[in-house]
Amino acid sequence: MYNQDFEGCTLILKNAYPIIQKLHRYDYLAIFWVRVGICHSNKKLIDKGANILQLVGEKDLLKKLDDDVDQFFEEL
């Protein structure tokens, strides 16, 4: 994302998704949804990831992802 290569980021995320599912890691899943949302300018996906972190009380990780959203998210 730092190089504005959202297509490359999306490809990496799609490849990581099966691994995330296999590991049953809610934190990785939340990061996945937030970053896919950023790459696709989709606020609903960002909210999906943020909601996962809110439900499990991961305030520190949510803050870091909010910083990514502030830096990279552009609504269409």
Side-chain angles (χ1 to χ4, degrees):
M1 290 187 325
Y2 289 95
N3 295 322
Q4 304 299 317
D5 182 13
F6 294 116
E7 285 184 33
C9 181
T10 299
L11 180 62
I12 291 168
L13 289 166
K14 283 182 180 181
N15 289 331
Y17 189 71
I19 298 167
I20 293 167
Q21 285 183 308
K22 186 176 182 177
L23 294 174
H24 301 287
R25 292 286 305 260
Y26 67 85
D27 51 342
Y28 291 170
L29 185 62
I31 292 167
F32 170 84
W33 287 120
V34 170
R35 296 217 168 134
V36 167
I38 291 170
C39 291
H40 292 279
S41 297
N42 187 323
K43 182 77 168 106
K44 287 184 181 183
L45 295 178
I46 292 170
D47 291 343
K48 186 175 185 173
N51 287 338
I52 292 170
L53 294 176
Q54 288 172 348
L55 287 170
V56 297
E58 283 285 350
K59 294 177 184 176
D60 292 338
L61 183 53
L62 181 58
K63 172 65 177 124
K64 290 177 185 174
L65 289 174
D66 282 342
D67 292 344
D68 283 351
V69 171
D70 291 342
Q71 185 174 356
F72 297 111
F73 179 66
E74 293 181 22
E75 268 187 288
L76 296 178

